[in-house]
Amino acid sequence: MLGEFVDKKAEERFFATYDAILRKWPLPAEELDIATRFGPTRVRSCGPDDGPPIVLLSGGMGTSLSWYPHIAELAARHRIHAVDSIGEPGRSIQTAPIESTEDCADWLTEIVDGVLAGTGHEKVHLAGVSRGGWLALNLATRTTDRIAGVVAIEAAGFGVIDRSFIWWSFREIFLWFLPKWVLRLVASGDPDVRHTVRPLLFAALKYKQHLPEMHLFGDDELSRIDVPTRIIVAERSVILRAREVAARLGSLNPHIEVEVVPKTTHGLSLEKPELVTARILEAAHHADAAS
């Protein structure tokens, strides 16, 4: 089964909102549709053509636009490729079902190959939030032939997602409706960002997804990762137990570094955007220096 909007009106409303938020993109960008066996995937690319490439993967229903607050700094020296994940609302068009975690890895492999084609670069840096972090790690546990390094922010795959996530989501949605001056007092991060992406999130709820379950990563899988990998988790995460993840991975694989960010939740990328941007750039710099 393929992902689709519930009706034409819902689709039109979503893309009108999408295009309005796209005006917030801070730099001139090239819109690419990379052919994959699951359908053409929209990738928004900007930054110097010869810069080391970074592929950005959003959280579920976030679209590439969720990265707009980070782009100006990330693209100063790197070629940035922000992806509308296939099978989710966005400018990508799904034409074949994604039925397994192997399919997810195959799709991302095709994106990486498409991004690298003709650039002179042999590898990309992957950075993902939530489901995007899971997608990056899911590929890295299988192959790192084209991957220089991974940054996974509050990635799925380290704990069972249960009612705690639902209650957190309700609380987060409530925050998004507060006036900006109140939001500044009760939540970390820029209230303008929450207010900007809010209508897109609600429009995305009219999209029916048919994607495979994000499996939990086993020790054997994570032990296979052989590139610098930074896993950033929120101290108050509702999708994993931060300290347990840090303890588990601390001695599992020397290529994996775990950071627990104090006083943050699953909305870490909204609450600490400067930290997220800094960690992606640090990881890319260290991986490039080591290569």
Side-chain angles (χ1 to χ4, degrees), residues 23-79:
R23 300 187 190 105
K24 291 272 190 177
W25 201 261
L27 298 172
E30 180 182 4
E31 303 279 343
L32 307 173
D33 287 314
I34 295 179
T36 78
R37 67 184 178 92
F38 304 101
T41 300
R42 177 63 55 90
V43 178
R44 185 167 297 102
S45 303
C46 59
D49 290 338
D50 59 350
I54 300 176
V55 171
L56 302 177
L57 302 163
S58 66
M61 298 195 298
T63 79
S64 58
L65 299 182
S66 64
W67 289 100
Y68 86 84
H70 308 268
I71 292 301
E73 191 170 352
L74 289 177
R77 297 183 180 179
H78 291 80
R79 184 67 172 171

Side-chain angles (χ1 to χ4, degrees), residues 171-187 191-192 194-195 198:
R171 176 188 177 276
E172 184 67 20
I173 289 170
F174 170 76
L175 290 176
W176 290 25
F177 281 97
L178 292 175
K180 292 179 184 179
W181 70 269
V182 177
L183 197 47
R184 287 189 179 92
L185 298 175
V186 300
D192 286 334
R194 281 184 169 92
H195 279 221
R198 182 183 67 198

Side-chain angles (χ1 to χ4, degrees), residues 8-290:
K8 190 66 176 177
K9 184 176 180 180
E11 182 178 9
E12 291 172 352
R13 183 182 298 115
F14 174 86
F15 285 118
T17 306
Y18 183 106
D19 290 342
I21 296 174
L22 182 57
R23 300 187 190 105
K24 291 272 190 177
W25 201 261
L27 298 172
E30 180 182 4
E31 303 279 343
L32 307 173
D33 287 314
I34 295 179
T36 78
R37 67 184 178 92
F38 304 101
T41 300
R42 177 63 55 90
V43 178
R44 185 167 297 102
S45 303
C46 59
D49 290 338
D50 59 350
I54 300 176
V55 171
L56 302 177
L57 302 163
S58 66
M61 298 195 298
T63 79
S64 58
L65 299 182
S66 64
W67 289 100
Y68 86 84
H70 308 268
I71 292 301
E73 191 170 352
L74 289 177
R77 297 183 180 179
H78 291 80
R79 184 67 172 171
I80 301 301
H81 306 276
V83 181
D84 278 359
S85 294
I86 203 81
E88 297 192 48
R91 288 292 181 188
S92 298
I93 303 172
Q94 187 178 8
T95 58
I98 299 176
E99 299 176 322
S100 66
T101 56
E102 289 77 13
D103 285 347
C104 293
D106 289 346
W107 165 76
L108 186 51
T109 296
E110 291 184 84
I111 298 305
V112 169
D113 288 344
V115 162
L116 289 173
T119 65
H121 292 280
E122 297 181 355
K123 296 187 176 186
V124 302
H125 301 278
L126 297 179
V129 172
S130 193
R131 184 173 186 270
W134 179 87
L135 286 168
L137 292 170
N138 180 56
L139 178 57
T141 59
R142 288 168 164 78
T143 178
T144 55
D145 287 349
R146 308 280 265 169
I147 301 173
V150 175
V151 177
I153 301 117
E154 265 297 285
F158 294 97
V160 176
I161 298 176
D162 56 19
R163 268 179 285 182
S164 297
F165 176 76
I166 296 173
W167 287 116
W168 172 85
S169 298
F170 282 142
R171 176 188 177 276
E172 184 67 20
I173 289 170
F174 170 76
L175 290 176
W176 290 25
F177 281 97
L178 292 175
K180 292 179 184 179
W181 70 269
V182 177
L183 197 47
R184 287 189 179 92
L185 298 175
V186 300
S188 301
D190 185 349
D192 286 334
V193 174
R194 281 184 169 92
H195 279 221
T196 295
V197 301
R198 182 183 67 198
L200 190 65
L201 173 65
F202 281 94
L205 295 176
K206 296 290 188 178
Y207 186 89
K208 291 184 177 180
Q209 298 182 122
H210 299 283
L211 295 169
E213 184 178 352
M214 295 177 288
H215 76 285
L216 300 181
F217 294 112
D219 287 356
D220 57 335
E221 290 179 280
L222 296 169
S223 296
R224 292 197 292 268
I225 297 177
D226 59 0
V227 294
T229 298
R230 182 170 293 185
I231 296 175
I232 302 171
V233 297
E235 182 182 41
R236 299 171 182 169
S237 176
V238 292
I239 68 166
L240 52 83
R241 295 173 185 251
R243 299 298 174 186
E244 289 183 9
V245 170
R248 172 191 171 198
L249 301 183
S251 58
L252 180 65
N253 184 335
H255 295 289
I256 296 177
E257 176 185 349
V258 182
E259 178 180 1
V260 178
V261 184
K263 300 179 181 180
T264 55
T265 73
H266 187 60
L268 194 158
S269 60
L270 287 170
E271 297 163 7
K272 300 288 184 182
E274 299 87 356
L275 181 144
V276 168
T277 301
R279 295 298 183 268
I280 294 172
L281 290 174
E282 288 167 9
H285 174 76
H286 292 157
D288 290 338

